Amino acid sequence: MRPRTASRHRLGRPRKPFGGPRPSVILWTPATLPPDSAPAPLILIGHPPLELGRMYPRLARRARHYVAEYGFAAATIELPGCGVRPRWAAAEQARADLRRAMAVESGGVVGGEIIDALILPLVDRAVPEWQAVLDELLALPGIGGPVGYEGGVISIGVRLAVVEPRIVAAGLFAGSLVPAAVFEEARRVTIPLHVLLQWDDEGNDRQAALDLFDAFGSREKTLHANLGGHTGVPQFELDTGARFFARHLTGEPR
């Protein structure tokens, strides 16, 4: 396959409001496509609840690989409460409670009520935004699906896999706090999954990550566990994930 070049677009904001300034959307597409080419499959790239500019280099590296090597389109959004988007008081309080719970003098134990307060409102806000963005992206010329989702807060990925039928495969990153309710949602996930786990991630409950993988209802699910901390994902996993999406978004054996 001849490598392609990627073209980046910062799109207008989606039309549906969600109680505050709507998210920035960045889309990467092949710079040129043959006139008779099929619409490009789309990968939605999630990220941790951090400012989009801070995450951009990592997101762009993944997106450009998908575009240049596989001919996909890729897109990301700024999550609710991140960057210049408004915070909400309950989330700020949950973050403060989390910092206290993870302090050395507190023993590093994070209670379920803190996890729920931090993660569930974010999921409730982010998932409808992703769906609104997906509506607009699939209406653009040259993009036609099918759609994959990868990365980001794993609870957002789980919810999207349950409620969004246009997403046919997901690559999830184990490494974020997971509310008990999300374990129940995971049992309803049936699409193919590719899950990455950093075995020595100091901020991740390894056993909870393994329990979540076990809970997924998908008949096809693969767990890749690598030694190393949170940011130590081996370079080869980028293409391993891309080949997973190629199998499920294009039907090409990889």
Side-chain angles (χ1 to χ4, degrees):
M1 180 181 294
R2 178 178 298 175
R4 303 168 177 85
T5 57
S7 178
R8 195 198 87 163
H9 319 269
R10 187 175 285 273
L11 303 183
R13 304 182 191 279
R15 287 188 291 269
K16 297 180 183 178
F18 295 100
R22 288 169 272 181
S24 296
V25 183
I26 300 176
L27 170 67
W28 293 265
T29 61
T32 57
L33 285 172
D36 59 346
S37 62
L42 174 65
I43 298 180
L44 307 177
I45 303 180
H47 62 85
L50 301 170
E51 192 262 328
L52 184 57
R54 178 176 169 185
M55 295 301 304
Y56 179 80
R58 273 192 274 172
L59 300 173
R61 181 174 63 88
R62 302 186 72 84
R64 289 170 181 150
H65 183 77
Y66 296 145
V67 172
E69 299 299 329
Y70 291 86
F72 300 150
T76 192
I77 67 172
E78 183 129 60
L79 288 175
C82 298
V84 299
R85 303 194 65 194
R87 271 62 168 170
W88 57 95
E92 294 298 293
Q93 182 60 54
R95 290 189 184 98
D97 292 342
L98 176 66
R99 287 191 292 270
R100 282 193 294 270
M102 296 187 72
V104 174
E105 59 268 26
S106 302
V109 177
V110 181
E113 68 283 355
I114 297 176
I115 296 174
D116 288 354
L118 185 67
I119 302 297
L120 292 178
L122 176 62
V123 173
D124 290 341
R125 288 166 168 80
V127 167
E129 290 189 349
W130 266 123
Q131 291 179 297
V133 168
L134 185 55
D135 290 341
E136 300 215 355
L137 291 174
L138 291 179
L140 295 175
I143 300 175
V147 181
Y149 174 87
E150 74 143 24
V153 178
I154 198 168
S155 296
I156 293 175
V158 171
R159 176 74 59 80
L160 280 168
V162 170
V163 303
E164 180 46 69
R166 292 170 293 185
I167 294 176
V168 301
L172 303 177
F173 297 174
S176 53
L177 301 169
V178 182
V182 173
F183 283 83
E184 293 306 311
E185 289 187 66
R187 303 183 197 284
R188 296 163 53 200
V189 174
T190 58
I191 62 174
L193 298 177
H194 177 87
V195 182
L196 287 179
L197 170 64
Q198 286 300 104
W199 201 250
D200 305 303
D201 185 347
E202 61 284 350
N204 182 34
D205 183 335
R206 183 196 301 163
Q207 188 57 54
L210 295 173
D211 291 343
L212 181 63
F213 181 80
D214 188 54
F216 285 126
S218 304
R219 297 189 65 177
E220 180 186 337
K221 55 182 180 180
T222 302
L223 176 68
H224 279 213
N226 293 286
L227 298 178
H230 188 75
T231 60
V233 179
Q235 177 65 27
F236 64 77
E237 289 289 7
L238 174 57
D239 201 60
T240 302
R243 293 197 304 272
F244 164 80
F245 283 120
R247 290 194 300 275
H248 294 289
L249 302 187
T250 70
E252 295 181 14
R254 294 277 182 167

